[in-house]
Amino acid sequence: MARGRALSPPLPPERGPAPPGNTPEGVAAALQRRRRLARLALFWEAAWPRAWPVLGAIGLFLIVALLDLPQQLPGPVHILGLLAAFGAIGWLAWRGFRGFRWPGEAAAERRMERMSGLRHRPLAALSDRPTGDDPAALALWRVHQQRAAAQIRQLRIGAPRPGLPARDPRALRAAVGLVVLAAFVMAGAEAPERLRRAFTPAFAGPVPAPPLKLEAWVTPPAYTGAAPIFLDPAGGAATVPAGSKLQVSVSGGHGGAPDLLLDAEATPFRALDAASFAAEAMLDHGGKLAIRREGTEIARWALAVQADAPPRVAFAEPPGRAPRGLGTRLPWKAEDDWGLAGLQAELRLKARPAAAPLTVELPLPGGQPKQAKGAATPDLSAHPWAGLEVTAKLVAKDGAGQQGVSEEAGLALPERSFNHAVAKRLIAVRKALSLEPERRAPARRELEEIAQAPEAFEHDVTTYLTLRAARTRLLVDRRPEAVPEVQEILWQVALALEEGRDGRTLRALQQAREALKQALDQAEQQDKARQDATDPQQKEQQDAQRAELEKRIQELRDAIRQHLEALAEKLQRENAEAIPFDPQSRLMDQKEMDRKTRRMQEAAREGRTEDAKKELAELEEMLKALEEGRAQRAESPERQQKRERGQQQMGVVQDMVKRQSEMLDRSHQRAEGDERDRAARQRQQRLNQQQFRWPPEPQQNGQQGQPGSQEQQAQQQERDRDGRQQRALRRALGELMQQFGDLTGEVPEGLGKADQAMREAQEQLRQGGDARDAQQRALKALQEGGKQMAQSMQRQFGMSQDGDEEGDPQDMAGENQQGGNGQDQAQGQGEGRDPLGRRTRDVNGTADNGADTRVPEEAELLRTRRLQEELRRREAEKERPAEELEYIDRLLKRF
């Protein structure tokens, strides 16, 4: 065999063509690629260990240059350092790459065979050729070459392994690279300039100092919420809040620590490092602010300090009693330059100005508003000063602790009215102790007289013992705090006497209802949580929850039973008739209430929380209706008669709204008819002009004019009839205004506007003009007057405005701003319908089965009731913003 570096020419195949990858050309190309990669790997393994000392020296030079250390050296030393660095780098490069050779192909082939684990040097077989021409030998050699070519696909180059860790076991190369990166980060944008200075020695003298950098800013106090104020380094003027903190930072430049001068006061800077300094100062007053360094002024500012003004607060309106309930209305408005932090009202007793004031915290809107207004209505009817004259003033605080005080205003605190004779005497004793707490003897004598007549409080042992205990405390306990304690005892006794057993049972009933509500809400939340979680103790928790619900339901049943028994005792004691039973609503049916509670218990046992809540809502409605029935029955006959008269008068207003709406509809119909007639005449005139029939014949003109004149006469008659009806309606309105004024002592302003608008409509109808505008104003004024009548009746006679009274302003013919709406409503009215177009009951009291009025379903009623309860709950939270409370109040009035 003869060896050569080139492949032998291909031998003719004996059994078909060879695969493309096994041809000598393909094998040679693949082998050449692998050979180049192997030579590169050998190059890296030989070059990297030789280059590492050179790169390490270059890295050290970069570190020194980026730290700007060469600029700190004199020029000659700098040059010597550069020469030494270049000499060291050159020597290391010569020493490392001396004798370096590029790897040959034979070495590359040996690497591939070694990395691939091939024996007998198969790559040499590809380049060798046989010496003879024996066919058998050639065939055998061809097979041998094919086997060698097949092994080329298994050749592996392997990753280069320079072996540097063996030469650098401490990994100093990584430390050098990390320090070079840190030096670049520290140099930042000055890195190119520092590298340039490292190669250019300076012979012009000492190294120039870094440029002067000045930063100054003012931080306002935290309660202001203002952003920091940055001062211009070039100087200028600025206005800052009082109590702000000034911070100044100076770095670079020549000289030592500068001085901070505020007028004549000097504040030294503290050193941060060799060339950086900082100073701080509190700004309580304005003046000239300057920074000096070695007698040279660096910067100057004119600072004006804005003093924090105290808050301003005043009563928006005179304080007094709230329109509803026993609350004390305290309308206020306040403002502060940086924001309000607190607001309270201080009440002092006029008869005892030296007594400790009564402080009432007033809620503010969220955050620290700079301007705010609102009206708080705290209930002070249980305070010992209730019913007495007091002076009130508002006190506002800001974030700096400053206070602003309003002017004083006088008012009488609302007090609860008591009908029980003994309760009245106890409240009188309580007031006397508030006016003169040192005079205990008259109070003791009064309590003794009350206790000596037990028949006045039904011989109640508890009341007797409480009165004797209060009398003894006034005699024995000489502490000043004893008087308020006795006043609290008297208040509780008066409440118990006034409310009686039914009042106490009612409170217990309300507490039982609230406890059951909370238990149902907790059960519902736990049921939702169980749907999302798996707990092996769910069975025990569920049993405990059901037991708790059954306990709460049983407490509610007992509270209902005790309350009904107390009501029965009260009726028997007063020798009065029982509340009549209503077969439709079944309000007083004890069996029905028992059925409701039993259903709640069954639903609780079965885990049907929603059904239990529905039963509770229906039971609450029954109890609510019971209380309303008691309150209505408790009215005096005279008051009830006035109430009924007011309802009748409000019903008359409803009828007036209906009639005025009908007249407005007829006015709209007449106007539409006139418009159609004018349009028809214009169309006829255009048609005649197109047919050349102008001027029209006299006969045709007369034939066309007769119907028109008849229609005009009919419209005029209808207009006269409406004029008479308008005059009669106005006369009836005048009588209604007089009757309502006699009943309530006031005439709604809306009714007066309606009378004036009706007079204008009457004049327009009489003159043949368009009365629609006046009629619309009359209709709107009637609706407004009805609302005012309802509000007046509510204030004087306690009529409900929830939509269940005849005079409900929301039920008065809708909001008829246009006649068309009134017309639509009038179409639904007639025999068998009420003024709102709804079907009424027949004479037998049965409802019309074909009624078209949609009755809300039970679920809708419950949902509406929950919304109303939620609104009332939020209205009771007086800490909410005033705007939100006003909006909730409007919603409750509306619905």
Side-chain angles (χ1 to χ4, degrees), residues 3-14:
R3 295 182 179 271
R5 301 310 300 171
L7 290 175
S8 62
L11 297 177
E14 294 182 357

PDB file of all heavy atoms in Angstrom, residues 3-14:
ATOM      1  N   ARG A   3       0.790   5.417   0.689  1.00  0.00           N
ATOM      2  CA  ARG A   3       0.012   6.441   1.388  1.00  0.00           C
ATOM      3  C   ARG A   3       0.142   7.764   0.658  1.00  0.00           C
ATOM      4  O   ARG A   3       1.199   8.088   0.165  1.00  0.00           O
ATOM      5  CB  ARG A   3       0.487   6.607   2.842  1.00  0.00           C
ATOM      6  CG  ARG A   3       0.252   5.362   3.688  1.00  0.00           C
ATOM      7  CD  ARG A   3       0.695   5.601   5.101  1.00  0.00           C
ATOM      8  NE  ARG A   3       0.448   4.425   5.914  1.00  0.00           N
ATOM      9  CZ  ARG A   3      -0.683   4.200   6.566  1.00  0.00           C
ATOM     10  NH1 ARG A   3      -1.665   5.072   6.468  1.00  0.00           N
ATOM     11  NH2 ARG A   3      -0.828   3.092   7.290  1.00  0.00           N
ATOM     12  N   GLY A   4      -0.892   8.509   0.638  1.00  0.00           N
ATOM     13  CA  GLY A   4      -0.898   9.849   0.038  1.00  0.00           C
ATOM     14  C   GLY A   4      -1.875  10.740   0.760  1.00  0.00           C
ATOM     15  O   GLY A   4      -2.717  10.281   1.531  1.00  0.00           O
ATOM     16  N   ARG A   5      -1.822  12.057   0.514  1.00  0.00           N
ATOM     17  CA  ARG A   5      -2.690  13.027   1.204  1.00  0.00           C
ATOM     18  C   ARG A   5      -3.977  13.289   0.451  1.00  0.00           C
ATOM     19  O   ARG A   5      -4.801  14.030   0.897  1.00  0.00           O
ATOM     20  CB  ARG A   5      -1.950  14.357   1.405  1.00  0.00           C
ATOM     21  CG  ARG A   5      -0.672  14.264   2.203  1.00  0.00           C
ATOM     22  CD  ARG A   5      -0.875  13.509   3.507  1.00  0.00           C
ATOM     23  NE  ARG A   5      -1.858  14.170   4.332  1.00  0.00           N
ATOM     24  CZ  ARG A   5      -2.363  13.654   5.434  1.00  0.00           C
ATOM     25  NH1 ARG A   5      -1.998  12.430   5.806  1.00  0.00           N
ATOM     26  NH2 ARG A   5      -3.222  14.329   6.154  1.00  0.00           N
ATOM     27  N   ALA A   6      -4.092  12.681  -0.778  1.00  0.00           N
ATOM     28  CA  ALA A   6      -5.327  12.879  -1.541  1.00  0.00           C
ATOM     29  C   ALA A   6      -6.060  11.574  -1.648  1.00  0.00           C
ATOM     30  O   ALA A   6      -5.459  10.500  -1.629  1.00  0.00           O
ATOM     31  CB  ALA A   6      -4.990  13.438  -2.921  1.00  0.00           C
ATOM     32  N   LEU A   7      -7.351  11.677  -1.763  1.00  0.00           N
ATOM     33  CA  LEU A   7      -8.169  10.484  -1.908  1.00  0.00           C
ATOM     34  C   LEU A   7      -7.938   9.875  -3.262  1.00  0.00           C
ATOM     35  O   LEU A   7      -7.741  10.576  -4.270  1.00  0.00           O
ATOM     36  CB  LEU A   7      -9.651  10.825  -1.732  1.00  0.00           C
ATOM     37  CG  LEU A   7     -10.090  11.197  -0.297  1.00  0.00           C
ATOM     38  CD1 LEU A   7     -11.535  11.622  -0.310  1.00  0.00           C
ATOM     39  CD2 LEU A   7      -9.864  10.037   0.631  1.00  0.00           C
ATOM     40  N   SER A   8      -7.969   8.547  -3.327  1.00  0.00           N
ATOM     41  CA  SER A   8      -7.822   7.855  -4.602  1.00  0.00           C
ATOM     42  C   SER A   8      -9.053   8.046  -5.433  1.00  0.00           C
ATOM     43  O   SER A   8     -10.132   8.300  -4.900  1.00  0.00           O
ATOM     44  CB  SER A   8      -7.571   6.361  -4.339  1.00  0.00           C
ATOM     45  OG  SER A   8      -8.689   5.809  -3.660  1.00  0.00           O
ATOM     46  N   PRO A   9      -8.902   7.976  -6.780  1.00  0.00           N
ATOM     47  CA  PRO A   9     -10.095   8.146  -7.618  1.00  0.00           C
ATOM     48  C   PRO A   9     -11.111   7.082  -7.295  1.00  0.00           C
ATOM     49  O   PRO A   9     -10.767   5.978  -6.879  1.00  0.00           O
ATOM     50  CB  PRO A   9      -9.540   8.036  -9.034  1.00  0.00           C
ATOM     51  CG  PRO A   9      -8.253   7.320  -8.901  1.00  0.00           C
ATOM     52  CD  PRO A   9      -7.691   7.684  -7.572  1.00  0.00           C
ATOM     53  N   PRO A  10     -12.388   7.391  -7.459  1.00  0.00           N
ATOM     54  CA  PRO A  10     -13.439   6.436  -7.093  1.00  0.00           C
ATOM     55  C   PRO A  10     -13.378   5.221  -7.958  1.00  0.00           C
ATOM     56  O   PRO A  10     -13.152   5.294  -9.158  1.00  0.00           O
ATOM     57  CB  PRO A  10     -14.714   7.235  -7.308  1.00  0.00           C
ATOM     58  CG  PRO A  10     -14.381   8.281  -8.283  1.00  0.00           C
ATOM     59  CD  PRO A  10     -12.938   8.612  -8.051  1.00  0.00           C
ATOM     60  N   LEU A  11     -13.550   4.106  -7.311  1.00  0.00           N
ATOM     61  CA  LEU A  11     -13.576   2.835  -8.030  1.00  0.00           C
ATOM     62  C   LEU A  11     -14.985   2.556  -8.494  1.00  0.00           C
ATOM     63  O   LEU A  11     -15.971   2.950  -7.839  1.00  0.00           O
ATOM     64  CB  LEU A  11     -13.105   1.715  -7.107  1.00  0.00           C
ATOM     65  CG  LEU A  11     -11.644   1.867  -6.616  1.00  0.00           C
ATOM     66  CD1 LEU A  11     -11.323   0.739  -5.647  1.00  0.00           C
ATOM     67  CD2 LEU A  11     -10.674   1.890  -7.777  1.00  0.00           C
ATOM     68  N   PRO A  12     -15.135   1.899  -9.620  1.00  0.00           N
ATOM     69  CA  PRO A  12     -16.493   1.622 -10.106  1.00  0.00           C
ATOM     70  C   PRO A  12     -17.215   0.711  -9.147  1.00  0.00           C
ATOM     71  O   PRO A  12     -16.663  -0.278  -8.679  1.00  0.00           O
ATOM     72  CB  PRO A  12     -16.237   0.964 -11.466  1.00  0.00           C
ATOM     73  CG  PRO A  12     -14.870   0.406 -11.380  1.00  0.00           C
ATOM     74  CD  PRO A  12     -14.084   1.321 -10.506  1.00  0.00           C
ATOM     75  N   PRO A  13     -18.458   1.036  -8.834  1.00  0.00           N
ATOM     76  CA  PRO A  13     -19.205   0.183  -7.906  1.00  0.00           C
ATOM     77  C   PRO A  13     -19.631  -1.087  -8.565  1.00  0.00           C
ATOM     78  O   PRO A  13     -19.805  -1.148  -9.780  1.00  0.00           O
ATOM     79  CB  PRO A  13     -20.407   1.061  -7.532  1.00  0.00           C
ATOM     80  CG  PRO A  13     -20.597   1.960  -8.685  1.00  0.00           C
ATOM     81  CD  PRO A  13     -19.226   2.204  -9.251  1.00  0.00           C
ATOM     82  N   GLU A  14     -19.737  -2.132  -7.741  1.00  0.00           N
ATOM     83  CA  GLU A  14     -20.165  -3.412  -8.276  1.00  0.00           C
ATOM     84  C   GLU A  14     -21.665  -3.614  -8.115  1.00  0.00           C
ATOM     85  O   GLU A  14     -22.288  -4.314  -8.898  1.00  0.00           O
ATOM     86  CB  GLU A  14     -19.406  -4.540  -7.557  1.00  0.00           C
ATOM     87  CG  GLU A  14     -17.915  -4.529  -7.851  1.00  0.00           C
ATOM     88  CD  GLU A  14     -17.214  -5.669  -7.164  1.00  0.00           C
ATOM     89  OE1 GLU A  14     -17.882  -6.419  -6.412  1.00  0.00           O
ATOM     90  OE2 GLU A  14     -16.007  -5.822  -7.360  1.00  0.00           O
TER      91      GLU A  14
END
